[in-house]
Amino acid sequence: DKLVFRHDAFWANHFGGVYVFLDEKTTTVICDPSVPGFRRSRPWQVGYISLSDHQRIYEFLASTNRLQLPQASWVQDSGLYQHRADMALRALVNQADPTTDLNAIDAIWLQTWIHRNSALVSADGVYPFLQTMIRTIAASGSIKMQDVAPENRFLLVRAAPDHPDQWLTNRLIAQLCPSDFVSRFVFDKQGFYAAYEQYSEKFREYVVATLTSTYLRDKLAFRKRLYGLKEDNTNA
């Protein structure tokens, strides 16, 4: 009755998902603000952040050194930005026409589609934003995050690979970048399968084919390249 199992950081599938991060003197809880007890339980010890408050989530993760901020040294080698841009673009193609066979299209088809659907691409904003950031990092070697809108910042970062909370942090980032279904499959299986249920039949076929040809082909190499992770995780 006195045995205690301490978790330094964890995710719990309660109230739609709750993230708990422990630091030396404080505990930070990130979840839906409608959760019972939000900002009322031990406010002198626990900091509460809404899952929709991208600004505060970013500030918390950055200030506690849980994020790897944009630098050309890792961004260009990882291919993460292009990966997320491709995911966002193909999600838009499916949104515009759920019957499109995404496994049968090529780069030329996509460029033509972008020109024909420029209003939709511009309104969503993710693809052109990431293309701009790819050019910025190539030209200057870094990105001034203070100039980036809070809701776009998580497209540009990954968990600090040397931080013990790297898996939980990457899970949170994946949830905040829903169009990147590959990252969601790697770090947030529950969120991935919930989203998968809503996909069109053609998009499901594309998702399965993409996961099979990328992550599932060599999990360790894929995680090392995209996310900088050097060690395996038995739950992955």
Side-chain angles (χ1 to χ4, degrees):
D1 62 348
K2 296 181 181 179
L3 191 61
V4 175
F5 293 95
R6 177 181 173 84
H7 295 274
D8 290 333
F10 61 92
W11 177 87
N13 191 22
H14 298 292
F15 313 112
V18 177
Y19 294 84
V20 179
F21 294 91
L22 273 66
D23 291 291
E24 186 176 351
K25 296 181 179 179
T26 60
T27 299
T28 302
V29 176
I30 302 175
C31 62
D32 189 311
S34 66
V35 168
F38 187 80
R39 292 198 179 123
R40 293 192 295 275
S41 175
R42 297 188 298 165
W44 61 94
Q45 291 179 311
V46 183
Y48 294 87
I49 303 176
S50 167
L51 259 175
S52 62
D53 193 339
H54 293 80
Q55 174 76 22
R56 287 196 61 207
I57 293 175
Y58 173 81
E59 289 174 350
F60 163 70
L61 294 174
S63 66
T64 55
N65 299 314
R66 288 180 166 92
L67 293 181
Q68 188 168 32
L69 302 179
Q71 294 291 333
S73 56
W74 72 263
V75 170
Q76 294 178 319
D77 287 343
S78 71
L80 183 61
Y81 290 6
Q82 191 59 55
H83 162 80
R84 286 179 172 160
D86 290 342
M87 298 290 99
L89 181 59
R90 289 169 186 267
L92 281 180
V93 172
N94 177 72
Q95 177 185 321
D97 182 4
T99 65
T100 302
D101 184 357
L102 292 166
N103 289 314
I105 64 179
D106 57 19
I108 296 175
W109 188 97
L110 280 172
Q111 285 302 315
T112 301
W113 186 90
I114 291 171
H115 290 310
R116 290 177 177 173
N117 296 272
S118 57
L120 176 61
V121 174
S122 178
D124 177 74
V126 174
Y127 181 79
F129 167 74
L130 283 169
Q131 292 300 318
T132 299
M133 292 300 99
I134 290 171
R135 291 191 294 270
T136 299
I137 203 85
S140 66
S142 63
I143 294 170
K144 296 179 180 178
M145 295 298 279
Q146 66 270 24
D147 296 336
V148 177
E151 60 269 22
N152 287 335
R153 290 176 183 174
F154 291 100
L155 292 165
L156 306 178
V157 298
R158 64 186 186 184
D162 56 351
H163 195 286
D165 295 344
Q166 56 186 282
W167 280 84
L168 186 66
T169 302
N170 272 323
R171 181 186 190 119
L172 179 54
I173 293 170
Q175 182 173 351
L176 297 174
C177 301
S179 62
D180 182 0
F181 64 80
V182 175
S183 294
R184 200 134 201 213
F185 182 81
V186 176
F187 298 107
D188 179 22
K189 291 279 195 305
Q190 288 88 344
F192 168 83
Y193 285 117
Y196 185 84
E197 290 298 317
Q198 307 303 315
Y199 293 156
S200 68
E201 193 60 39
K202 285 296 184 182
F203 198 68
R204 287 184 181 183
E205 293 175 4
Y206 165 67
V207 167
V208 171
T210 299
L211 290 172
T212 301
S213 64
T214 57
Y215 177 58
L216 296 176
R217 176 172 291 178
D218 190 336
K219 294 181 180 181
L220 288 174
F222 188 89
R223 291 197 296 259
K224 182 178 181 180
R225 180 172 65 85
L226 248 67
Y227 315 110
L229 303 186
K230 299 178 179 64
E231 297 181 1
D232 195 4
N233 183 291
T234 55
N235 295 320

